[in-house]
């Protein structure tokens, strides 16, 4: 049995991770399972949860706090969204007790003006970043990238951009798929795509990678990275037209892509690890649970 | 045997049509076949051509002039593109003799700056419209909408917008497909989508129709037409940011959608029938062939 004071869980749409925290927030043990959400549902969320936690060897009486898709309508227990705009502490201090002993879910964020929008999981990353003093504009890239605005401990607004999904759909379900090739990143082609987004509207931009291949001006591999640059460039220019400084919350290749695109566009940014932001916020939520 | 002076053929990616013209350009007989391009290739283009022309009952010695995909790399005989910018008469006066007796193909248009782009078929519609005195900005909506600029008998520039394809792909291959419903047009939802495009960047706009359904602010049917409005509104605003007067070349539902969207956006337009533009241009090409 570890001396953990609590467990944080990030249960997203394609993988689940858990961390056992010591009293200073240090990670004592951790575990991760790659599992599509629909498979987890089929397998039984409770079974997955037990498999996830068992190796952590944590006492039954410490709180476990989870964020992400697991609290959605198709998740294990649905927990409501908290409305944005609102104080950040609304999210942090309100873990919701589930029917499972000592298991709490964090609420996602929703907004209704001018259009409805939702997030589940990214709000936790934002909480982690703000606890390190970051504020202003936040970019959280992904299949559905989120851009959020935080000022004076208030979660003011956010919007979803379907950048990653559109890249995947273009490669899988349009004629462009015939041209694309897996391979090492071509950063020159990527930067050209980002540049093209400055002067070309997106609906036209989505045609260029194919016509470049057809006109034999780019190879399939170049064009794949060019399309990635077009889409990410277009997202950044749309979400941040005045090129304000941005806190970029991402890991791995996603961090690399967005860092490079922001550099091409002359946009200042502070890169933060998404995983580190998540664990920071989950530990803070555990602390607030222990204190109450 | 009719007294036709020539036959015009529009051979596109999903259907083929032929018109036998009298000496004043009147249509004496016509025929149409619905056939996917790949099926026509498998069946043999020559067989399709013969089936198409037989009912027209036209003498073997009159010219037959075809435009569209049939002249592409995957078509019956490939004919080169003519470069844009260039004089409109370059396209009209240069039907290319195929190996088939008395059969000529019109060239498509290509451009290389700042990016390569191509069209096959739309240039013929534009020729038809310009012969009626239209000039300036042209919109030719479709799976791959084309916007073209013509001044002083010169074909100056054009760009492709993947609007129709993106609508189809969103409905077929994203989570949005679960929400959409076939049905009568909901013009109010469509106009709301066009309005939303004024203030919302496209990558964000593509998320809204789903979140509207999830937030129970729109039915699936409303959201389908809302998405259509979002996309068409975004295309028009991108392609015509200064809201110049436009010649809109389209038929049927496509003409209806774009007319309504341009009206919502306060954009003046002159609607022309795409079919009428095609037959006008094909007859002019036949005349120029007869005269040479």
């Amino acid at each position: 049995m570890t001396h953990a004071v609590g467990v944080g869980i990030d249960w997203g749409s394609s993988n689940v991770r858990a961390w056992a925290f010591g009293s200073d927030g240090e990670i004592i043990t951790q575990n991760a399972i790659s599992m599509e959400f629909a498979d987890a549902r089929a397998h039984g969320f409770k079974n997955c949860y037990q498999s996830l936690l068992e190796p952590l060897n944590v006492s039954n009486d410490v709180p476990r706090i989870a964020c992400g898709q697991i609290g959605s309508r198709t998740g294990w227990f649905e927990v409501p969204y908290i409305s944005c705009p609102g104080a950040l502490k609304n999210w942090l201090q309100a873990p919701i007790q589930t029917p499972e002993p000592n298991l709490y879910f964090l609420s996602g964020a929703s907004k209704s003006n001018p259009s409805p929008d939702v997030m589940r999981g990214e709000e936790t990353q934002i909480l982690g970043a703000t606890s390190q003093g970051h504020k202003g504009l936040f970019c959280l890239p992904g299949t559905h990238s989120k851009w959020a605005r935080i000022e004076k401990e208030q979660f003011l607004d956010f919007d979803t951009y379907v950048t990653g999904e559109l890249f995947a759909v273009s490669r899988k379900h349009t004629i462009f798929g015939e041209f694309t090739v897996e391979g090492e990143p071509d950063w020159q082609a990527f930067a050209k795509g980002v540049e093209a987004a400055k002067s070309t509207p997106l609906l036209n931009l989505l045609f260029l990678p194919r016509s470049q291949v057809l006109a034999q001006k780019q190879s399939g591999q170049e064009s794949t990275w060019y399309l990635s640059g077009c889409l990410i460039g277009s997202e950044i220019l749309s979400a941040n037209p005045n090129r304000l400084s941005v806190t970029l919350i991402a890991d791995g290749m996603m961090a690399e892509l967005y860092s490079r695109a922001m550099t091409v566009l002359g946009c200042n940014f502070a890169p933060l690890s998404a995983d580190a932001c998540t664990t920071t916020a989950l530990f803070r939520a555990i602390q607030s649970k222990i204190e109450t």
Side-chain angles (χ1 to χ4, degrees), chain A:
Chain A
M1 198 69 59
T2 67
H3 54 285
V5 298
V7 174
I9 301 168
D10 179 23
W11 199 318
S13 51
S14 53
N15 58 68
V16 200
R17 289 162 319 156
W19 302 269
F21 296 103
S23 57
D24 293 327
E26 74 278 18
I27 293 166
I28 302 172
T29 53
Q30 55 185 303
N31 190 23
I33 301 175
S34 278
M35 187 174 257
E36 291 299 317
F37 206 67
D39 295 336
R41 192 186 310 114
H43 188 61
F45 288 119
K46 186 160 182 162
N47 293 329
C48 297
Y49 172 66
Q50 284 167 341
S51 314
L52 181 72
L53 259 65
E54 204 172 13
L56 298 185
N57 195 26
V58 166
S59 155
N60 281 333
D61 57 4
V62 303
R64 297 97 195 268
I65 298 191
C67 66
Q69 281 303 104
I70 193 64
S72 71
R73 201 172 300 172
T74 60
W76 190 3
F77 307 111
E78 185 178 3
V79 295
Y81 295 103
I82 294 176
S83 295
C84 171
L88 280 177
K89 65 173 165 43
N90 294 348
W91 277 268
L92 198 62
Q93 296 174 350
I96 290 172
Q97 170 76 62
T98 69
E100 196 66 24
N102 285 320
L103 177 63
Y104 302 84
F105 284 180
L106 292 178
S107 290
S110 68
K111 64 173 238 185
S112 54
N113 286 312
S115 292
D117 206 334
V118 290
M119 61 166 70
R120 279 205 195 267
E122 294 91 349
E123 73 295 330
T124 306
Q125 297 176 14
I126 293 169
L127 289 170
T130 54
S131 76
Q132 297 165 48
H134 290 270
K135 60 184 182 182
L137 195 58
F138 291 74
C139 169
L140 301 95
T143 303
H144 289 168
S145 296
K146 308 288 181 185
W147 285 73
R149 209 153 47 81
I150 314 290
E151 296 292 350
K152 298 179 182 159
E153 302 292 315
Q154 298 287 311
F155 192 165
L156 296 181
D157 197 11
F158 70 94
D159 291 297
T160 299
Y161 291 75
V162 299
T163 314
E165 184 179 23
L166 200 50
F167 182 67
V169 159
S170 295
R171 292 193 58 182
K172 276 192 212 146
H173 298 294
T174 74
I175 194 182
F176 181 64
E178 294 174 24
F179 309 140
T180 69
V181 190
E182 300 291 340
E184 288 298 298
D186 182 326
W187 293 120
Q188 204 175 350
F190 178 80
K192 272 176 66 183
V194 175
E195 284 286 350
K198 283 188 193 170
S199 54
T200 314
L202 184 62
L203 284 168
N204 179 211
L205 208 54
L206 284 169
F207 193 69
L208 302 191
R210 316 173 203 191
S211 54
Q212 299 274 17
V213 178
L214 289 173
Q216 300 182 308
K217 300 224 171 168
Q218 281 182 349
S219 69
Q221 193 182 344
E222 282 170 324
S223 231
T224 307
W225 291 93
Y226 178 78
L227 174 64
S228 174
C230 288
L231 284 166
I232 293 173
S234 183
E235 176 192 325
I236 295 168
L237 289 163
S238 302
N240 186 15
N242 301 321
R243 321 257 175 120
L244 305 175
S245 288
V246 181
T247 301
L248 173 61
I249 302 182
D251 291 308
M253 179 55 100
M254 209 50 92
E256 177 92 28
L257 289 164
Y258 278 72
S259 296
R260 284 179 181 263
M262 288 188 189
T263 303
V264 169
L265 296 172
C267 177
N268 283 325
F269 64 97
L272 294 183
S273 155
D275 285 356
C277 288
T278 298
T279 53
T280 299
L282 286 170
F283 179 67
R284 283 192 66 196
I286 289 166
Q287 283 182 305
S288 89
K289 194 69 227 157
I290 293 169
E291 285 158 13
T292 55

